[in-house]
PDB file of all heavy atoms in Angstrom:
ATOM      1  N   VAL A 375     -17.499  17.715  20.252  1.00  0.00           N
ATOM      2  CA  VAL A 375     -18.046  16.418  20.686  1.00  0.00           C
ATOM      3  C   VAL A 375     -18.367  15.563  19.461  1.00  0.00           C
ATOM      4  O   VAL A 375     -18.099  14.360  19.445  1.00  0.00           O
ATOM      5  CB  VAL A 375     -19.294  16.613  21.583  1.00  0.00           C
ATOM      6  CG1 VAL A 375     -20.034  15.309  21.788  1.00  0.00           C
ATOM      7  CG2 VAL A 375     -18.889  17.211  22.923  1.00  0.00           C
ATOM      8  N   ALA A 376     -18.910  16.193  18.418  1.00  0.00           N
ATOM      9  CA  ALA A 376     -19.217  15.458  17.183  1.00  0.00           C
ATOM     10  C   ALA A 376     -17.942  14.892  16.554  1.00  0.00           C
ATOM     11  O   ALA A 376     -17.963  13.785  15.995  1.00  0.00           O
ATOM     12  CB  ALA A 376     -19.943  16.359  16.193  1.00  0.00           C
ATOM     13  N   MET A 377     -16.831  15.615  16.640  1.00  0.00           N
ATOM     14  CA  MET A 377     -15.562  15.096  16.124  1.00  0.00           C
ATOM     15  C   MET A 377     -15.182  13.823  16.864  1.00  0.00           C
ATOM     16  O   MET A 377     -14.815  12.822  16.244  1.00  0.00           O
ATOM     17  CB  MET A 377     -14.432  16.125  16.326  1.00  0.00           C
ATOM     18  CG  MET A 377     -14.352  17.202  15.318  1.00  0.00           C
ATOM     19  SD  MET A 377     -12.844  18.146  15.663  1.00  0.00           S
ATOM     20  CE  MET A 377     -13.364  19.743  15.157  1.00  0.00           C
ATOM     21  N   ILE A 378     -15.247  13.871  18.183  1.00  0.00           N
ATOM     22  CA  ILE A 378     -14.859  12.719  18.997  1.00  0.00           C
ATOM     23  C   ILE A 378     -15.790  11.538  18.744  1.00  0.00           C
ATOM     24  O   ILE A 378     -15.341  10.400  18.591  1.00  0.00           O
ATOM     25  CB  ILE A 378     -14.820  13.096  20.493  1.00  0.00           C
ATOM     26  CG1 ILE A 378     -13.690  14.109  20.727  1.00  0.00           C
ATOM     27  CG2 ILE A 378     -14.619  11.876  21.374  1.00  0.00           C
ATOM     28  CD1 ILE A 378     -13.697  14.761  22.096  1.00  0.00           C
ATOM     29  N   VAL A 379     -17.092  11.792  18.667  1.00  0.00           N
ATOM     30  CA  VAL A 379     -18.065  10.722  18.417  1.00  0.00           C
ATOM     31  C   VAL A 379     -17.830  10.106  17.036  1.00  0.00           C
ATOM     32  O   VAL A 379     -17.851   8.883  16.882  1.00  0.00           O
ATOM     33  CB  VAL A 379     -19.508  11.243  18.562  1.00  0.00           C
ATOM     34  CG1 VAL A 379     -20.523  10.242  18.043  1.00  0.00           C
ATOM     35  CG2 VAL A 379     -19.797  11.597  20.021  1.00  0.00           C
ATOM     36  N   SER A 380     -17.570  10.946  16.037  1.00  0.00           N
ATOM     37  CA  SER A 380     -17.354  10.407  14.688  1.00  0.00           C
ATOM     38  C   SER A 380     -16.067   9.586  14.631  1.00  0.00           C
ATOM     39  O   SER A 380     -16.021   8.542  13.981  1.00  0.00           O
ATOM     40  CB  SER A 380     -17.354  11.513  13.635  1.00  0.00           C
ATOM     41  OG  SER A 380     -16.279  12.392  13.826  1.00  0.00           O
ATOM     42  N   VAL A 381     -15.018  10.034  15.325  1.00  0.00           N
ATOM     43  CA  VAL A 381     -13.775   9.259  15.373  1.00  0.00           C
ATOM     44  C   VAL A 381     -14.032   7.913  16.046  1.00  0.00           C
ATOM     45  O   VAL A 381     -13.586   6.872  15.555  1.00  0.00           O
ATOM     46  CB  VAL A 381     -12.650  10.049  16.090  1.00  0.00           C
ATOM     47  CG1 VAL A 381     -11.510   9.146  16.490  1.00  0.00           C
ATOM     48  CG2 VAL A 381     -12.147  11.171  15.202  1.00  0.00           C
ATOM     49  N   ALA A 382     -14.754   7.930  17.169  1.00  0.00           N
ATOM     50  CA  ALA A 382     -15.050   6.683  17.880  1.00  0.00           C
ATOM     51  C   ALA A 382     -15.850   5.728  16.986  1.00  0.00           C
ATOM     52  O   ALA A 382     -15.556   4.525  16.925  1.00  0.00           O
ATOM     53  CB  ALA A 382     -15.820   6.974  19.167  1.00  0.00           C
ATOM     54  N   PHE A 383     -16.837   6.259  16.271  1.00  0.00           N
ATOM     55  CA  PHE A 383     -17.643   5.420  15.374  1.00  0.00           C
ATOM     56  C   PHE A 383     -16.789   4.865  14.231  1.00  0.00           C
ATOM     57  O   PHE A 383     -16.866   3.671  13.908  1.00  0.00           O
ATOM     58  CB  PHE A 383     -18.822   6.221  14.818  1.00  0.00           C
ATOM     59  CG  PHE A 383     -19.591   5.479  13.772  1.00  0.00           C
ATOM     60  CD1 PHE A 383     -20.431   4.435  14.120  1.00  0.00           C
ATOM     61  CD2 PHE A 383     -19.462   5.806  12.429  1.00  0.00           C
ATOM     62  CE1 PHE A 383     -21.134   3.731  13.147  1.00  0.00           C
ATOM     63  CE2 PHE A 383     -20.149   5.109  11.457  1.00  0.00           C
ATOM     64  CZ  PHE A 383     -20.997   4.070  11.814  1.00  0.00           C
ATOM     65  N   LEU A 384     -15.965   5.712  13.635  1.00  0.00           N
ATOM     66  CA  LEU A 384     -15.144   5.268  12.507  1.00  0.00           C
ATOM     67  C   LEU A 384     -14.070   4.276  12.941  1.00  0.00           C
ATOM     68  O   LEU A 384     -13.711   3.380  12.174  1.00  0.00           O
ATOM     69  CB  LEU A 384     -14.525   6.471  11.790  1.00  0.00           C
ATOM     70  CG  LEU A 384     -15.547   7.337  11.041  1.00  0.00           C
ATOM     71  CD1 LEU A 384     -14.907   8.637  10.581  1.00  0.00           C
ATOM     72  CD2 LEU A 384     -16.159   6.585   9.883  1.00  0.00           C
ATOM     73  N   MET A 385     -13.581   4.398  14.170  1.00  0.00           N
ATOM     74  CA  MET A 385     -12.629   3.400  14.679  1.00  0.00           C
ATOM     75  C   MET A 385     -13.326   2.050  14.852  1.00  0.00           C
ATOM     76  O   MET A 385     -12.727   1.002  14.602  1.00  0.00           O
ATOM     77  CB  MET A 385     -12.021   3.866  16.011  1.00  0.00           C
ATOM     78  CG  MET A 385     -11.160   5.117  15.890  1.00  0.00           C
ATOM     79  SD  MET A 385      -9.735   4.942  14.817  1.00  0.00           S
ATOM     80  CE  MET A 385      -8.606   4.133  15.904  1.00  0.00           C
ATOM     81  N   LEU A 386     -14.592   2.069  15.243  1.00  0.00           N
ATOM     82  CA  LEU A 386     -15.374   0.833  15.340  1.00  0.00           C
ATOM     83  C   LEU A 386     -15.559   0.222  13.952  1.00  0.00           C
ATOM     84  O   LEU A 386     -15.404  -0.993  13.774  1.00  0.00           O
ATOM     85  CB  LEU A 386     -16.731   1.100  15.992  1.00  0.00           C
ATOM     86  CG  LEU A 386     -17.668  -0.081  16.135  1.00  0.00           C
ATOM     87  CD1 LEU A 386     -17.057  -1.149  17.046  1.00  0.00           C
ATOM     88  CD2 LEU A 386     -19.006   0.367  16.687  1.00  0.00           C
ATOM     89  N   VAL A 387     -15.854   1.043  12.972  1.00  0.00           N
ATOM     90  CA  VAL A 387     -15.986   0.568  11.586  1.00  0.00           C
ATOM     91  C   VAL A 387     -14.671  -0.058  11.132  1.00  0.00           C
ATOM     92  O   VAL A 387     -14.668  -1.120  10.505  1.00  0.00           O
ATOM     93  CB  VAL A 387     -16.409   1.721  10.647  1.00  0.00           C
ATOM     94  CG1 VAL A 387     -16.296   1.324   9.188  1.00  0.00           C
ATOM     95  CG2 VAL A 387     -17.821   2.183  10.967  1.00  0.00           C
ATOM     96  N   ASP A 388     -13.550   0.585  11.472  1.00  0.00           N
ATOM     97  CA  ASP A 388     -12.240   0.030  11.110  1.00  0.00           C
ATOM     98  C   ASP A 388     -12.025  -1.352  11.719  1.00  0.00           C
ATOM     99  O   ASP A 388     -11.456  -2.238  11.071  1.00  0.00           O
ATOM    100  CB  ASP A 388     -11.110   0.959  11.563  1.00  0.00           C
ATOM    101  CG  ASP A 388     -10.933   2.148  10.656  1.00  0.00           C
ATOM    102  OD1 ASP A 388     -11.420   2.099   9.504  1.00  0.00           O
ATOM    103  OD2 ASP A 388     -10.302   3.129  11.085  1.00  0.00           O
ATOM    104  N   LEU A 389     -12.447  -1.537  12.966  1.00  0.00           N
ATOM    105  CA  LEU A 389     -12.294  -2.845  13.607  1.00  0.00           C
ATOM    106  C   LEU A 389     -13.110  -3.915  12.891  1.00  0.00           C
ATOM    107  O   LEU A 389     -12.690  -5.058  12.764  1.00  0.00           O
ATOM    108  CB  LEU A 389     -12.731  -2.772  15.075  1.00  0.00           C
ATOM    109  CG  LEU A 389     -11.688  -2.318  16.067  1.00  0.00           C
ATOM    110  CD1 LEU A 389     -12.282  -2.247  17.467  1.00  0.00           C
ATOM    111  CD2 LEU A 389     -10.483  -3.234  16.073  1.00  0.00           C
ATOM    112  N   MET A 390     -14.294  -3.534  12.431  1.00  0.00           N
ATOM    113  CA  MET A 390     -15.184  -4.510  11.786  1.00  0.00           C
ATOM    114  C   MET A 390     -14.808  -4.766  10.332  1.00  0.00           C
ATOM    115  O   MET A 390     -14.882  -5.895   9.859  1.00  0.00           O
ATOM    116  CB  MET A 390     -16.639  -4.041  11.876  1.00  0.00           C
ATOM    117  CG  MET A 390     -17.154  -4.039  13.307  1.00  0.00           C
ATOM    118  SD  MET A 390     -18.924  -3.723  13.460  1.00  0.00           S
ATOM    119  CE  MET A 390     -19.123  -2.132  12.736  1.00  0.00           C
ATOM    120  N   VAL A 391     -14.388  -3.723   9.618  1.00  0.00           N
ATOM    121  CA  VAL A 391     -14.158  -3.841   8.178  1.00  0.00           C
ATOM    122  C   VAL A 391     -12.673  -3.924   7.831  1.00  0.00           C
ATOM    123  O   VAL A 391     -12.282  -4.666   6.934  1.00  0.00           O
ATOM    124  CB  VAL A 391     -14.832  -2.669   7.424  1.00  0.00           C
ATOM    125  CG1 VAL A 391     -14.593  -2.766   5.937  1.00  0.00           C
ATOM    126  CG2 VAL A 391     -16.308  -2.595   7.736  1.00  0.00           C
ATOM    127  N   GLY A 392     -11.846  -3.163   8.500  1.00  0.00           N
ATOM    128  CA  GLY A 392     -10.406  -3.206   8.247  1.00  0.00           C
ATOM    129  C   GLY A 392      -9.969  -2.532   6.972  1.00  0.00           C
ATOM    130  O   GLY A 392      -9.117  -3.051   6.252  1.00  0.00           O
ATOM    131  N   VAL A 393     -10.507  -1.364   6.685  1.00  0.00           N
ATOM    132  CA  VAL A 393     -10.146  -0.620   5.482  1.00  0.00           C
ATOM    133  C   VAL A 393      -8.772   0.028   5.670  1.00  0.00           C
ATOM    134  O   VAL A 393      -8.445   0.517   6.750  1.00  0.00           O
ATOM    135  CB  VAL A 393     -11.198   0.479   5.196  1.00  0.00           C
ATOM    136  CG1 VAL A 393     -10.789   1.350   4.029  1.00  0.00           C
ATOM    137  CG2 VAL A 393     -12.553  -0.143   4.949  1.00  0.00           C
ATOM    138  N   ASN A 394      -7.975   0.019   4.604  1.00  0.00           N
ATOM    139  CA  ASN A 394      -6.692   0.707   4.601  1.00  0.00           C
ATOM    140  C   ASN A 394      -6.746   1.771   3.514  1.00  0.00           C
ATOM    141  O   ASN A 394      -6.664   1.465   2.331  1.00  0.00           O
ATOM    142  CB  ASN A 394      -5.539  -0.267   4.349  1.00  0.00           C
ATOM    143  CG  ASN A 394      -4.180   0.401   4.435  1.00  0.00           C
ATOM    144  OD1 ASN A 394      -4.064   1.578   4.753  1.00  0.00           O
ATOM    145  ND2 ASN A 394      -3.150  -0.366   4.141  1.00  0.00           N
ATOM    146  N   VAL A 395      -6.870   3.047   3.930  1.00  0.00           N
ATOM    147  CA  VAL A 395      -7.046   4.118   2.946  1.00  0.00           C
ATOM    148  C   VAL A 395      -5.762   4.481   2.211  1.00  0.00           C
ATOM    149  O   VAL A 395      -5.812   5.229   1.236  1.00  0.00           O
ATOM    150  CB  VAL A 395      -7.677   5.384   3.576  1.00  0.00           C
ATOM    151  CG1 VAL A 395      -9.070   5.114   4.077  1.00  0.00           C
ATOM    152  CG2 VAL A 395      -6.820   5.957   4.674  1.00  0.00           C
ATOM    153  N   ILE A 396      -4.615   3.966   2.670  1.00  0.00           N
ATOM    154  CA  ILE A 396      -3.369   4.245   1.951  1.00  0.00           C
ATOM    155  C   ILE A 396      -2.825   3.002   1.257  1.00  0.00           C
ATOM    156  O   ILE A 396      -1.660   2.954   0.878  1.00  0.00           O
ATOM    157  CB  ILE A 396      -2.301   4.872   2.879  1.00  0.00           C
ATOM    158  CG1 ILE A 396      -1.913   3.930   4.015  1.00  0.00           C
ATOM    159  CG2 ILE A 396      -2.722   6.224   3.378  1.00  0.00           C
ATOM    160  CD1 ILE A 396      -0.681   4.363   4.770  1.00  0.00           C
ATOM    161  N   SER A 397      -3.672   2.030   1.040  1.00  0.00           N
ATOM    162  CA  SER A 397      -3.212   0.792   0.390  1.00  0.00           C
ATOM    163  C   SER A 397      -2.796   1.026  -1.058  1.00  0.00           C
ATOM    164  O   SER A 397      -2.021   0.241  -1.607  1.00  0.00           O
ATOM    165  CB  SER A 397      -4.312  -0.269   0.446  1.00  0.00           C
ATOM    166  OG  SER A 397      -5.460   0.178  -0.248  1.00  0.00           O
ATOM    167  N   TRP A 398      -3.249   2.108  -1.663  1.00  0.00           N
ATOM    168  CA  TRP A 398      -2.912   2.403  -3.048  1.00  0.00           C
ATOM    169  C   TRP A 398      -1.498   2.984  -3.189  1.00  0.00           C
ATOM    170  O   TRP A 398      -0.957   3.023  -4.280  1.00  0.00           O
ATOM    171  CB  TRP A 398      -3.937   3.376  -3.650  1.00  0.00           C
ATOM    172  CG  TRP A 398      -4.083   4.630  -2.850  1.00  0.00           C
ATOM    173  CD1 TRP A 398      -4.904   4.829  -1.770  1.00  0.00           C
ATOM    174  CD2 TRP A 398      -3.360   5.849  -3.033  1.00  0.00           C
ATOM    175  NE1 TRP A 398      -4.731   6.093  -1.280  1.00  0.00           N
ATOM    176  CE2 TRP A 398      -3.803   6.749  -2.034  1.00  0.00           C
ATOM    177  CE3 TRP A 398      -2.395   6.275  -3.936  1.00  0.00           C
ATOM    178  CZ2 TRP A 398      -3.311   8.048  -1.919  1.00  0.00           C
ATOM    179  CZ3 TRP A 398      -1.908   7.564  -3.822  1.00  0.00           C
ATOM    180  CH2 TRP A 398      -2.368   8.434  -2.828  1.00  0.00           C
ATOM    181  N   LEU A 399      -0.905   3.427  -2.065  1.00  0.00           N
ATOM    182  CA  LEU A 399       0.458   3.955  -2.123  1.00  0.00           C
ATOM    183  C   LEU A 399       1.465   2.819  -2.251  1.00  0.00           C
ATOM    184  O   LEU A 399       1.245   1.730  -1.709  1.00  0.00           O
ATOM    185  CB  LEU A 399       0.776   4.756  -0.853  1.00  0.00           C
ATOM    186  CG  LEU A 399       0.047   6.080  -0.681  1.00  0.00           C
ATOM    187  CD1 LEU A 399       0.347   6.663   0.693  1.00  0.00           C
ATOM    188  CD2 LEU A 399       0.446   7.062  -1.768  1.00  0.00           C
ATOM    189  N   PRO A 400       2.570   3.049  -2.928  1.00  0.00           N
ATOM    190  CA  PRO A 400       3.605   2.008  -3.026  1.00  0.00           C
ATOM    191  C   PRO A 400       4.145   1.645  -1.638  1.00  0.00           C
ATOM    192  O   PRO A 400       4.251   2.500  -0.755  1.00  0.00           O
ATOM    193  CB  PRO A 400       4.700   2.667  -3.875  1.00  0.00           C
ATOM    194  CG  PRO A 400       4.058   3.827  -4.547  1.00  0.00           C
ATOM    195  CD  PRO A 400       2.917   4.245  -3.697  1.00  0.00           C
ATOM    196  N   ASP A 401       4.486   0.361  -1.466  1.00  0.00           N
ATOM    197  CA  ASP A 401       4.988  -0.124  -0.177  1.00  0.00           C
ATOM    198  C   ASP A 401       6.213   0.662   0.296  1.00  0.00           C
ATOM    199  O   ASP A 401       6.337   0.963   1.484  1.00  0.00           O
ATOM    200  CB  ASP A 401       5.345  -1.612  -0.255  1.00  0.00           C
ATOM    201  CG  ASP A 401       4.116  -2.503  -0.283  1.00  0.00           C
ATOM    202  OD1 ASP A 401       3.052  -2.042   0.192  1.00  0.00           O
ATOM    203  OD2 ASP A 401       4.220  -3.645  -0.774  1.00  0.00           O
TER     204      ASP A 401
END
């Protein structure tokens, strides 16, 4: 349940902030 809750919370953070964790990789 904690996995699902953390994913749901982090998806909300992504909507608000829009972080791309693979932006450092070449296109």
Side-chain angles (χ1 to χ4, degrees):
V375 168
M377 279 187 212
I378 294 169
V379 169
S380 64
V381 164
F383 173 74
L384 291 169
M385 295 299 279
L386 179 63
V387 169
D388 282 342
L389 274 178
M390 293 188 300
V391 179
V393 175
N394 184 4
V395 296
I396 62 168
S397 61
W398 55 274
L399 290 173
D401 286 337

